[in-house]
Amino acid sequence: MCRIVVIGSGITGVTTAYELAQLGYTVTVIDKHLFPAMETSFANGGQLSACNAEVWNQKATVLKGIKWMSKKNAPLLLNPSFDLHKYAWLVEFLGNIKHYQENTKETVRLALLARERLFAIAEQENIQFDLEKRGILHFYYNEADYKVATSVNDLLCSGGLKRHAISPEEIKQIEPSLTGHYYGGFYCPDDATGDIHKFTMGLAKATEKYGVNYLFGMEVVNVEQNEKGIYIQYHPSVENMQQEHVALEQIFADAIVVCGGVGSYQLAQKLGDRVNVYPVKGYSITVQLEDENSQKSAPWVSLLDESAKIVTSRLGNNRLRVAGTAEFNGYNRDIRSDRIQPLTDWVNKNFEISTEHCVPWAGLRPMMPNMMPVVRRGKRERVFYNTGHGHLGWTLSAATAVMISQEIASAHPI
């Protein structure tokens, strides 16, 4: 019997637990929350988007970011206050501009593998998560933005993506709810959307029949290792503590996998590794489509407005998820009204939908400076990482879970 502990029950942690269980490992998942998928995997943009695989390390993106810094409602916001971790991360980000093309192609490759695997899992385990296989439509308002997008599209397609240019007339044929004036667009017919929280909850339940055990409401405080294995010490997380002094509990494992989202940075430090994850906040609103007109007028095809950097996903008949923005503001999880309002305004501008009932949300994307997930062994023999997926955790998780599981199987066979 080979025992593996997975730290974190977001989309990467639960998919990792599933793949390990399929290989025959005894798996325990530890999470500080009381349920799976309660942080970044709770209410993201919903897109399973190989078409959004372009990494951000590009000069044009940096120049846009500098221009946006003076606007409070801009798609990107940087808190200029000094923080060593933040500025060291930004310097490393700039250093990875030279890897832009190769990293984008690799991300496309991973996204295509992940898409196939996730669909297979959902079918095999009968997971219902408002899946819509209607493709993703990107649209542009002017020639300059469209020309930049054309070169990006060529790069994505060279990585294996099937995505083609469409005319303004075709944009409205694909998604009739769009009423604006557009210069052109690109359409990726094989991409999809779905509710990440529903999927993760459904998969977590499915893993239990394969013997996966969950320790919810628990926080890892220390990890010790010897020649026999690894000891993970934990206690109830702060929000779940009933008394001031709580005795540590301990679990033994043959190996651990860190899938801790933005907490992976601190966990890696405890384990003697440097995993330079930085939290980049994103916002979303879930528009409750409560009247018949809103349900008819809301888009079913997933959209990406490149000028506003806003995405949409239809989650069943009565919900529309609208998400966007990137905010460099440390581990701050506040839901700021001035960042939510542009999302609501965008909906009001583009669709005949009532925004009377909107549920706002903010989550921290675990981003690496090179925009690539960390899927590898740590310095210690029994430590592994599957983290740092940034804005593409939903898109890439099914592939990286297979990759890290195979790595563990190679190092610690059953």
Side-chain angles (χ1 to χ4, degrees):
M1 180 176 66
C2 196
R3 292 156 289 194
I4 311 294
V5 166
V6 176
I7 302 176
S9 69
I11 185 65
T12 56
V14 174
T15 50
T16 298
Y18 178 79
E19 295 297 350
L20 288 167
Q22 294 296 297
L23 293 176
Y25 289 94
T26 299
V27 183
T28 299
V29 181
I30 303 176
D31 195 287
K32 65 181 180 180
H33 294 289
L34 298 176
F35 307 96
M38 293 305 292
E39 289 203 6
T40 313
S41 300
F42 187 76
N44 72 352
Q47 291 186 331
L48 291 159
S49 51
C51 64
N52 204 22
E54 180 195 13
V55 299
W56 297 0
N57 312 77
Q58 192 183 22
K59 289 179 182 177
T61 305
V62 173
L63 292 173
K64 276 186 181 178
I66 294 170
K67 189 188 300 182
W68 283 334
M69 281 182 66
S70 60
K71 298 179 181 178
K72 284 188 177 181
N73 62 347
L76 186 145
L77 186 67
L78 172 69
N79 184 338
S81 63
F82 182 75
D83 175 80
L84 185 59
H85 182 198
K86 176 172 62 184
Y87 282 101
W89 188 97
L90 288 169
V91 169
E92 224 175 299
F93 175 90
L94 295 173
N96 276 283
I97 289 175
K98 61 181 176 287
H99 301 301
Y100 162 75
Q101 289 197 354
E102 63 191 90
N103 285 347
T104 295
K105 284 185 180 181
E106 175 61 9
T107 305
V108 171
R109 186 187 72 83
L110 289 175
L112 295 175
L113 290 172
R115 188 171 68 191
E116 183 180 355
R117 180 60 181 152
L118 188 139
F119 290 165
I121 292 171
E123 185 173 349
Q124 180 177 326
E125 304 300 340
N126 192 27
I127 301 171
Q128 304 301 312
F129 61 106
D130 295 320
L131 174 64
E132 293 293 339
K133 294 183 177 180
R134 299 177 189 242
I136 295 179
L137 169 61
H138 293 215
F139 56 84
Y140 306 84
Y141 295 96
N142 58 65
E143 183 180 6
D145 288 346
Y146 185 77
K147 279 187 174 179
V148 172
T150 300
S151 62
V152 173
N153 186 67
D154 291 343
L155 177 61
L156 294 171
C157 291
S158 71
L161 186 69
K162 293 178 182 177
R163 184 172 179 254
H164 59 269
I166 52 175
S167 67
E169 293 74 28
E170 289 172 316
I171 288 174
K172 294 181 181 181
Q173 288 170 8
I174 293 169
E175 182 44 67
S177 69
L178 286 171
T179 58
H181 299 285
Y182 313 105
Y183 181 84
F186 290 95
Y187 180 55
C188 184
D190 297 327
D191 272 347
T193 56
D195 187 324
I196 186 174
H197 185 71
K198 279 188 177 183
F199 179 86
T200 310
M201 291 284 287
L203 185 59
K205 188 172 182 179
T207 62
E208 292 177 354
K209 71 185 179 191
Y210 300 114
V212 176
N213 180 46
Y214 288 85
L215 296 175
F216 288 119
M218 297 295 171
E219 193 161 2
V220 174
V221 293
N222 192 34
V223 178
E224 295 180 354
Q225 185 175 340
N226 59 29
E227 67 280 359
K228 293 182 179 178
I230 195 161
Y231 295 86
I232 300 97
Q233 296 175 334
Y234 61 93
H235 61 51
S237 55
V238 175
E239 58 263 38
N240 298 308
M241 282 189 180
Q242 301 297 317
Q243 56 194 54
E244 192 171 332
H245 300 289
V246 180
L248 285 178
E249 296 186 60
Q250 184 169 275
I251 184 172
F252 173 82
D254 295 284
I256 65 169
V257 191
V258 176
C259 304
V262 295
S264 300
Y265 178 75
Q266 291 80 9
L267 282 167
Q269 285 184 322
K270 290 179 182 178
L271 295 165
D273 291 306
R274 183 175 183 270
V275 176
N276 196 18
V277 167
Y278 186 81
V280 180
K281 190 193 290 187
Y283 292 86
S284 78
I285 56 173
T286 304
V287 185
Q288 307 296 318
L289 307 172
E290 298 191 349
D291 61 278
E292 187 178 348
N293 182 65
S294 293
Q295 291 172 5
K296 286 182 178 178
S297 302
W300 279 99
V301 174
S302 182
L303 306 173
L304 198 158
D305 181 338
E306 285 286 358
S307 63
K309 297 296 181 185
I310 287 176
V311 305
T312 72
S313 295
R314 186 70 176 265
L315 304 177
N317 192 51
N318 60 356
R319 291 186 302 152
L320 178 68
R321 179 70 49 76
V322 181
T325 78
E327 184 177 307
F328 289 78
N329 195 19
Y331 293 86
N332 180 293
R333 288 178 167 83
D334 293 346
I335 300 175
R336 293 175 45 175
S337 60
D338 62 335
R339 302 296 281 164
I340 290 292
Q341 192 60 48
L343 299 177
T344 308
D345 291 344
W346 184 88
V347 174
N348 289 327
K349 175 186 173 184
N350 287 281
F351 306 101
E352 293 294 325
I353 297 172
S354 170
T355 52
E356 180 183 1
H357 301 286
C358 289
V359 181
W361 175 82
L364 303 180
R365 308 177 183 101
M367 286 197 168
M368 292 292 292
N370 64 353
M371 308 296 292
M372 302 297 290
V374 180
V375 191
R376 61 172 173 82
R377 297 177 65 162
K379 289 179 182 176
R380 300 187 189 183
E381 179 190 353
R382 300 178 184 273
V383 176
F384 298 82
Y385 294 93
N386 182 19
T387 190
H389 296 63
H391 66 302
L392 293 176
W394 185 210
T395 297
L396 302 179
S397 57
T400 62
V402 172
M403 291 163 60
I404 201 64
S405 299
Q406 291 173 346
E407 184 86 8
I408 291 167
S410 175
H412 301 280
I414 296 175

